[in-house]
Amino acid sequence: MSAVLLPIQPPMITGYVHHGHVLSILAHYPESSDWFYSNYIQLYCHRNFKDSSVPFNFFIYDELIYEADKQRYTTGLSHYLNSIPWLSAEKISRHRILQMGRDCVSFLKECIHAECYVFTYIDEFFIPHTPFYQKNRFAHQVLIFGYDDEAGTFQVADFIQDRSQTKYTQFDVPYEHMAQGFSQVELAGEHRQYTYLLRYRPHIVYPFDLQHACRQLSAYVNSGNSYHDMRNMQPSIDLAYGMESYSCLENYLEQLRQDRIAFDIRPFHIMWEHKTCMQARLDHLITRLGLEDLRDVAAEYAQVEKGMRTVRLMLMMYQQNQDPALISKMIATLQDTAPLEQSLLERMLAVMSSSDAQLKGGIR
C-alpha cells in the first residue's frame, strides 16, 4: 500500500478549468509569481458570444480552434501549456494509453509516482460530486494530483456541485469511478484526444518582465490585438481585446434581457478575476520592484474590483429572480467602472514605463 500527494494550492483564476489546474500547481511555488504577474494582463472576447465555447478569456497564448461541426471556436491546450516555463508538458495520445494493455488506474498511479500531474479528459457522468454525476455524459478536464491505495482513491481538482453553487476545489474519486470516467469518455476533435503529464521544473529563473508587462498593459488599455504576435501559430481572428471587453459584456446583458442568449456567468467571473489579479499585481509591483508611485493607483483600483464583484453578484441574483432592473444596474455599473479602470491603468502604465526606462535593462 502506498500514497503520493503532489502539492497544489488554491489558484487565483478558476473561471476556466485549464487556468485553475495550471495555476493551482504554480500557486504552491512562490518563485513562479514573477512569471504570473508578468502575464495574465490582456483579455480577449468573441463579440458574438455564441461563436465560441470559451467566449471571454485571459490572453495567454491560447490556441483558438474552429470546430466546423459546431460552427464555433474552442480553446486548445498545447500552446498554452508550452508557454509556461515552470512546467514541462508531455503530450500522450489517449488512444495509445488505452492500447498499452494496462489498466488506466495503474497508468495514472505511475505518472503521479513519477511526480507528474495528470491533466486529462474524463466523463463526469461517472465522477461523484461533479454537477453531471449520474445525470449526463459530459467530457471535462480534471487535474489528478495524488492517489491513496489504502483508501482506493485518486485526489482530483475540478468543479463540484456544492448545494446550489458550482465551485473549483479538491476531492477524492474512487479508483473504479476514475477508471470508468477515463476509459469511457467520448471525445470529439483531434485536440481533445490527449492526456498531458505536467512536471514542475524547479530550476527555472524568470524575474519580473517589466517590458513584457508594459506591452500587454498597453494592449489592454488600447484594446490592441495581441494575436498579431502569434501569427506564426494562429491566423488573425476578429476579436475584441482589453477595454473593449466592457462593451462586449454590455451587449451580452442586452441580449440576455431580450432572452436571445443563454445565461453564462463565466465571462463576468473572468472579468472579476482579471481585477483581483490586477490588484494583486499592483501590490506585487510595489513590494517586489519598489514602485512606490503605484500606491495611490492600488488604493483607487479597489473600486474597480468592487464594481466587477458587484456586477457578478447581481448576475447571480438575476439567474434566480429574472428581475430586468438588475440588467440596467449591471450595465450602469459597467459604464461607471470602465472609465475609472482606463484612467487608473494609464497611470499604472506611465509609472511602469518610466521605471523600465530608468532600469535600462536591469530588471526586465
Side-chain angles (χ1 to χ4, degrees):
M1 293 290 183
S2 63
V4 176
L5 190 67
L6 302 179
I8 66 171
Q9 296 291 331
M12 288 195 68
I13 300 170
T14 62
Y16 289 110
V17 72
H18 61 291
H19 295 309
H21 291 345
V22 166
L23 296 178
S24 64
I25 299 172
L26 297 188
H28 181 74
Y29 300 98
E31 61 269 28
S32 70
S33 62
D34 274 339
W35 175 84
F36 175 80
Y37 290 120
S38 298
N39 293 280
Y40 289 94
I41 295 173
Q42 176 67 300
L43 294 173
Y44 71 87
C45 175
H46 293 258
R47 292 187 178 90
N48 183 348
F49 277 52
K50 300 175 184 178
D51 285 347
S52 176
S53 61
V54 184
F56 191 105
N57 201 1
F58 284 89
F59 173 82
I60 182 71
Y61 304 105
D62 285 341
E63 179 184 13
L64 301 184
I65 299 170
Y66 186 71
E67 298 180 297
D69 58 331
K70 298 179 181 178
Q71 296 187 322
R72 68 178 187 182
Y73 285 92
T74 190
T75 301
L77 289 173
S78 293
H79 291 179
Y80 172 59
L81 294 176
N82 289 328
S83 74
I84 301 167
W86 298 97
L87 297 178
S88 67
E90 182 179 354
K91 179 178 175 181
I92 303 178
S93 164
R94 292 176 51 84
H95 180 68
R96 180 174 298 177
I97 294 170
L98 295 175
Q99 280 196 328
M100 286 179 179
R102 300 184 55 237
D103 67 281
C104 60
V105 170
S106 296
F107 169 78
L108 295 173
K109 287 171 57 179
E110 286 187 8
C111 293
I112 295 165
H113 190 76
E115 299 185 342
C116 291
Y117 301 81
V118 183
F119 192 156
T120 189
Y121 277 97
I122 59 173
D123 190 334
E124 295 201 337
F125 177 84
F126 301 101
I127 309 301
H129 310 299
T130 64
F132 300 93
Y133 179 56
Q134 297 296 305
K135 294 179 182 177
N136 301 103
R137 303 299 290 264
F138 184 74
H140 200 239
Q141 301 157 341
V142 298
L143 183 72
I144 308 171
F145 63 93
Y147 70 87
D148 185 334
D149 279 337
E150 184 174 353
T153 58
F154 287 106
Q155 283 70 56
V156 173
D158 192 15
F159 290 101
I160 68 168
Q161 190 70 41
D162 182 24
R163 298 177 183 174
S164 62
Q165 293 186 340
T166 302
K167 67 177 184 179
Y168 184 85
T169 190
Q170 308 164 22
F171 58 100
D172 295 341
V173 177
Y175 286 165
E176 63 270 21
H177 289 268
M178 181 62 72
Q180 289 179 297
F182 186 89
S183 62
Q184 297 188 37
V185 64
E186 297 180 3
L187 299 170
E190 190 271 341
H191 61 284
R192 294 193 179 94
Q193 305 302 320
Y194 298 96
T195 288
Y196 295 87
L197 307 183
L198 307 181
R199 186 194 299 270
Y200 185 74
R201 302 169 67 194
H203 304 300
I204 296 298
V205 176
Y206 192 109
F208 188 87
D209 192 334
L210 191 53
Q211 290 183 359
H212 180 57
C214 285
R215 284 194 297 269
Q216 288 187 84
L217 188 58
S218 177
Y220 179 85
V221 168
N222 296 293
S223 303
N225 184 346
S226 294
Y227 270 111
H228 278 319
D229 296 333
M230 289 181 61
R231 300 196 109 179
N232 63 319
M233 297 186 292
Q234 182 73 58
S236 181
I237 302 172
D238 183 28
L239 302 171
Y241 297 89
M243 289 298 301
E244 191 181 348
S245 58
Y246 278 97
S247 61
C248 291
L249 294 181
E250 290 179 38
N251 291 337
Y252 170 84
L253 290 172
E254 288 289 1
Q255 292 185 65
L256 188 64
R257 190 205 306 262
Q258 300 169 32
D259 200 25
R260 293 169 52 195
I261 197 167
F263 181 89
D264 188 357
I265 200 170
R266 296 175 303 168
F268 294 84
H269 186 85
I270 286 289
M271 189 67 150
W272 169 62
E273 288 186 324
H274 180 265
K275 311 317 168 198
T276 62
C277 289
M278 192 67 75
Q279 184 81 68
R281 181 176 294 105
L282 283 161
D283 295 339
H284 187 79
L285 288 169
I286 294 167
T287 58
R288 171 79 172 87
L289 269 66
L291 302 188
E292 293 293 330
D293 289 344
L294 289 176
R295 286 201 179 274
D296 289 345
V297 175
E300 296 176 55
Y301 197 84
Q303 290 301 310
V304 177
E305 185 276 329
K306 180 181 178 181
M308 280 314 307
R309 175 161 35 96
T310 300
V311 170
R312 176 178 169 274
L313 290 173
M314 284 194 289
L315 187 59
M316 293 170 67
M317 293 170 58
Y318 180 81
Q319 185 182 22
Q320 300 297 320
N321 60 28
Q322 306 292 302
D323 181 1
L326 286 170
I327 297 286
S328 299
K329 290 179 180 178
M330 284 185 275
I331 291 175
T333 303
L334 289 172
Q335 292 173 343
D336 289 341
T337 303
L340 174 60
E341 183 177 43
Q342 177 92 32
S343 173
L344 291 173
L345 294 188
E346 287 174 352
R347 289 163 55 189
M348 179 181 178
L349 181 60
V351 172
M352 291 170 62
S353 299
S354 175
S355 297
D356 184 48
Q358 293 174 18
L359 287 169
K360 295 181 180 179
I363 298 177
R364 294 183 55 197

